[in-house]
Amino acid sequence: MTATSKGRARAAPPSAAQIMRGDRRALARAITLIESTRPDHRVEAEALLEALLPATGGSIRVGISGPPGVGKSSFIEAFGLTLIAAGRSLAVLAVDPSSARSGGSILGDKTRMERLAREPAAFIRPSPAGGAPGGVARRTREAMLACEAAGFAVVLIETVGVGQSEAAVAEMTDLFMLLVQPGGGDDLQGIKRGNVELADLVVVTKADGALAAAAARAEADYRAALGLLRPVSKHWRPRVMACSALEGSGLEAVWRAIEAHREAFEASGELARRRAAQAQAWMWSELRDGLTAALKENAAVAALATRLEGAVAAGEITPGTAARQLQEVFLGTAVGGRKRSARS
Amino acid sequence: MTATSKGRARAAPPSAAQIMRGDRRALARAITLIESTRPDHRVEAEALLEALLPATGGSIRVGISGPPGVGKSSFIEAFGLTLIAAGRSLAVLAVDPSSARSGGSILGDKTRMERLAREPAAFIRPSPAGGAPGGVARRTREAMLACEAAGFAVVLIETVGVGQSEAAVAEMTDLFMLLVQPGGGDDLQGIKRGNVELADLVVVTKADGALAAAAARAEADYRAALGLLRPVSKHWRPRVMACSALEGSGLEAVWRAIEAHREAFEASGELARRRAAQAQAWMWSELRDGLTAALKENAAVAALATRLEGAVAAGEITPGTAARQLQEVFLGTAVGGRKRSARS
């Protein structure tokens, strides 16, 4: 135990060994450490992740999104219970940049998935508190690595569709699943446009009772629509299916589709290539975010950036000129070999 | 005239006044200047663009893309001639990051649009030579500003769909048009997945002769598919239409749709908001590109980046650790308040 500056004893950071043994409390503490913005915690988190890295990579990484009201929690719970009944373990994480620190997020909310939360083979974690969206996504990706090291068969990362969070989740997972309403696509219920590119699997929910016929029609409509698009990979054609969390129907078909995707991607080597490319892309995007954050932390540069943003929006200066001025002030060097201008 | 280092006399840079008078040779020289990577040319180009900026903003900015073989050049020529017959002027630019300096790009190739190229009211410019895709897009955006200052009613920016060029073109235009084949969506002809998000207008080409019925079916199919998606703006629902460059049919309908989009966006103030947001986003993306370029120009950092990319891809180090190391070496300062590590 070490004393904190507040005088309270603090538990030692969780060890990689504990996590790799599947110790849930250690895993939860590791994720809390990962989510912390304190610089000393970042150092510890980084060291822990490096120690866990060799044990990662063994889960199926699935992203899931859908509009409000589509039944995401019901689906995740019913689907999760199906997995567990078949002997697998499941971690559920979330990316919700809008969650306030005190209010918490409705995603990964155990009260909405009570039965699943009680299962020993399930681990549910709410989204990290909001902040820079890039920061939330980074912490969730790192939490995913910790869950993998802890031995979960499936890691599900849900997102509520704020800003670019679906793209971020798709970029850290192997397969991206979109839930859609049986009512088809009116304004509020259609697929968010950027998600069409991302979806490997489209699942129509609530295919039961009075909505069964509508669900079947929606399934056909989405299948026709996706058929008009060029596939992203030659190893997978996006699939559309319907399910009912209430009746428990269609959930095993969803799992079989996920397994089929996994097999196709592993056999072709595409899974390894995809994950390697994702990791590299994450390095560059974290570097860019880090440089931008460092820039904004520099008070003089941040003030200049705000002024220049306004000037650019008002059409008083070109974006290129503004960018060059910011870069010169930030790096303290001229850009492109020119003499650094005296302007600031 | 000023002497160059090669001993040849060089014409003075084009003046903003010449360009704003509509002088085509001056405009062409301005775009050549904008495309140059020489630092002294960048200084001149930046000064010229600042001088032109007050005269920009008056064109309708249209992005256009479609798969190879869809008939883009035929469409642009026929559509352009329609515009010109109605008394408007048209500039055609291109973003084609794959164009080699010597081979040139097939986009904006006047030989494929001979009749249009002969029209005084038309200005056609091939894509800048390939290089960093961000660089090509930036130069095209700046060329667009020069064309606007020269007084063109419409600036059309075409792209062939390499990498992220459609997204870049959509981010510099008011409206994005996708051309699609009448055969509907088999693997090679369907809409590239990321483009669904971008399309304000989908135009089925070759709606004539033996393909007329297929074109009508494709039009209906794409309309149904787009109807399943949530609209991006409340001021515009994406439209689908068919046309024939050969017969000259449907082209005025395309123009009316562009005008309708323009009216809706101007009346609601969305055009101004969109352009201001685009300009700000361009500032940040140019800054990020500039910082990344500066990083890669630093030999020690570039070598480290290559090593770390490999380590990240191989799962030996986390992307976050790699990014932090690169940032520290590049900026020469510790990240997040920690002591800078001795590692490099």
Side-chain angles (χ1 to χ4, degrees):
Chain A
M1 306 280 254
T2 53
T4 62
S5 55
K6 292 183 179 170
R8 282 202 308 274
R10 170 174 167 260
S15 75
Q18 284 174 304
I19 292 161
M20 291 193 276
R21 276 196 302 271
D23 181 334
R24 299 307 173 77
R25 285 179 191 258
L27 175 61
R29 280 171 30 229
I31 297 178
T32 298
L33 185 69
I34 285 165
E35 293 174 355
S36 172
T37 50
R38 271 174 50 171
D40 57 334
H41 289 171
R42 276 311 296 161
V43 176
E44 289 178 23
E46 191 176 294
L48 180 60
L49 286 161
E50 292 301 324
L52 292 173
L53 202 55
T56 63
S59 309
I60 299 180
R61 305 170 177 177
V62 180
I64 176 168
S65 184
V70 74
K72 205 157 7 77
S73 298
S74 307
F75 172 84
I76 291 173
E77 177 167 72
F79 179 68
L81 291 171
T82 302
L83 284 186
I84 287 169
R88 298 179 190 87
S89 56
L90 168 72
V92 182
L93 303 175
V95 173
D96 183 7
S98 66
S99 65
R101 199 172 276 278
S102 55
S105 169
I106 60 166
L107 296 192
D109 182 349
K110 298 177 197 185
T111 66
R112 293 165 67 93
M113 294 187 277
E114 273 189 30
R115 285 193 297 153
L116 185 64
R118 283 200 294 268
E119 291 286 337
F123 176 82
I124 302 177
R125 179 82 180 196
S127 171
V136 172
R138 165 170 63 70
R139 285 171 270 161
T140 302
R141 187 177 183 278
E142 292 177 346
M144 176 184 76
L145 295 178
C147 291
E148 285 200 332
F152 287 93
V154 179
V155 182
L156 202 65
I157 303 182
E158 56 166 330
T159 179
V160 78
V162 171
Q164 289 298 302
S165 51
E166 283 102 336
V169 169
E171 281 156 27
M172 65 176 96
T173 51
D174 305 325
L175 171 148
F176 194 78
M177 185 188 326
L178 274 188
L179 301 187
V180 294
Q181 299 267 25
D186 69 15
D187 282 9
L188 300 175
Q189 295 174 357
I191 297 178
K192 186 175 154 192
R193 302 193 91 198
N195 289 350
V196 178
E197 174 175 14
L198 306 174
D200 297 299
L201 199 52
V202 174
V203 178
V204 183
T205 57
K206 307 179 191 175
D208 48 61
L211 288 174
R217 276 194 305 273
E219 192 185 337
D221 287 346
Y222 282 107
R223 193 171 290 126
L226 288 187
L228 291 174
L229 305 175
R230 237 179 290 172
V232 173
S233 161
K234 59 183 189 233
H235 303 292
W236 182 256
R237 287 299 174 90
R239 294 189 191 181
V240 182
M241 46 191 64
C243 77
S244 163
L246 192 70
E247 293 182 351
S249 61
L251 300 171
E252 300 209 5
V254 171
W255 175 244
R256 282 197 299 272
I258 293 173
E259 282 194 309
H261 179 276
R262 173 74 162 202
E263 280 162 26
F265 267 52
E266 271 189 321
S268 59
E270 189 149 339
L271 182 68
R273 281 191 297 273
R274 178 184 169 102
R275 287 183 171 190
Q278 284 178 335
Q280 287 185 322
W282 271 96
M283 179 185 94
W284 287 106
S285 92
E286 288 214 38
L287 178 58
R288 281 194 301 271
D289 288 348
L291 290 175
T292 309
L295 188 142
K296 290 179 174 175
E297 277 159 25
N298 178 321
V301 177
L304 177 63
T306 302
R307 264 200 321 280
L308 290 174
E309 264 188 320
V312 159
E316 297 162 9
I317 188 177
T318 63
T321 302
R324 183 186 53 71
Q325 289 182 16
L326 279 167
Q327 183 170 328
E328 287 181 351
V329 173
F330 179 50
L331 296 182
T333 55
V335 171
R338 76 177 75 204
K339 276 193 168 36
R340 170 152 172 227
S341 70
R343 294 176 288 176
S344 72
Chain B
M1 306 277 255
T2 53
T4 62
S5 56
K6 290 182 181 170
R8 282 203 308 274
R10 172 174 166 259
S15 75
Q18 284 174 304
I19 291 162
M20 291 194 275
R21 277 197 301 270
D23 181 334
R24 300 303 173 80
R25 286 179 190 254
L27 175 61
R29 281 171 29 228
I31 297 178
T32 299
L33 185 69
I34 285 166
E35 293 173 355
S36 171
T37 50
R38 271 175 50 172
D40 56 335
H41 288 171
R42 275 313 295 161
V43 176
E44 288 177 25
E46 192 176 294
L48 180 61
L49 286 161
E50 291 301 326
L52 292 173
L53 201 56
T56 63
S59 308
I60 299 182
R61 305 170 178 177
V62 180
I64 177 167
S65 184
V70 74
K72 211 164 354 88
S73 298
S74 306
F75 172 84
I76 290 174
E77 177 165 73
F79 180 68
L81 291 170
T82 303
L83 284 185
I84 285 168
R88 296 179 191 89
S89 55
L90 169 71
V92 182
L93 304 174
V95 172
D96 182 7
S98 65
S99 64
R101 198 170 276 279
S102 54
S105 168
I106 60 168
L107 296 192
D109 182 347
K110 298 177 197 184
T111 67
R112 292 165 69 94
M113 294 188 277
E114 272 190 30
R115 283 191 300 152
L116 186 64
R118 284 200 294 267
E119 291 286 336
F123 176 83
I124 302 178
R125 179 83 180 197
S127 172
V136 171
R138 166 170 64 70
R139 285 171 269 160
T140 302
R141 188 178 183 276
E142 292 178 345
M144 175 183 76
L145 294 179
C147 291
E148 286 200 333
F152 286 93
V154 179
V155 182
L156 202 64
I157 304 182
E158 58 166 331
T159 179
V160 78
V162 172
Q164 290 298 302
S165 51
E166 285 103 334
V169 169
E171 281 157 24
M172 64 176 97
T173 50
D174 306 325
L175 173 148
F176 195 78
M177 185 189 327
L178 272 188
L179 301 185
V180 294
Q181 300 266 24
D186 70 13
D187 281 7
L188 301 174
Q189 295 174 358
I191 298 179
K192 187 173 153 192
R193 303 194 90 197
N195 289 351
V196 177
E197 174 175 14
L198 306 175
D200 298 300
L201 200 52
V202 175
V203 177
V204 182
T205 57
K206 306 180 190 175
D208 49 61
L211 290 175
R217 276 193 306 271
E219 192 184 336
D221 288 347
Y222 283 106
R223 194 172 288 127
L226 288 188
L228 291 174
L229 306 175
R230 237 177 289 170
V232 173
S233 161
K234 60 183 186 237
H235 302 292
W236 182 256
R237 288 294 175 91
R239 293 189 191 180
V240 182
M241 46 191 65
C243 76
S244 163
L246 191 69
E247 294 180 351
S249 62
L251 301 171
E252 299 209 6
V254 171
W255 175 244
R256 281 196 302 271
I258 293 173
E259 282 193 308
H261 180 274
R262 172 74 161 204
E263 280 163 26
F265 266 52
E266 271 189 320
S268 59
E270 188 149 339
L271 182 67
R273 280 192 296 273
R274 178 183 168 101
R275 288 184 171 188
Q278 285 177 335
Q280 286 185 323
W282 270 95
M283 180 185 94
W284 287 107
S285 91
E286 288 212 39
L287 178 58
R288 280 194 301 271
D289 288 348
L291 290 175
T292 308
L295 189 142
K296 290 179 176 175
E297 277 159 25
N298 178 321
V301 178
L304 176 64
T306 304
R307 261 200 325 280
L308 290 175
E309 263 189 320
V312 160
E316 295 161 9
I317 189 177
T318 64
T321 300
R324 182 185 54 71
Q325 288 181 18
L326 278 168
Q327 183 169 328
E328 287 183 351
V329 172
F330 179 50
L331 295 183
T333 56
V335 171
R338 77 177 75 203
K339 276 195 173 28
R340 171 150 172 227
S341 71
R343 293 176 287 175
S344 71

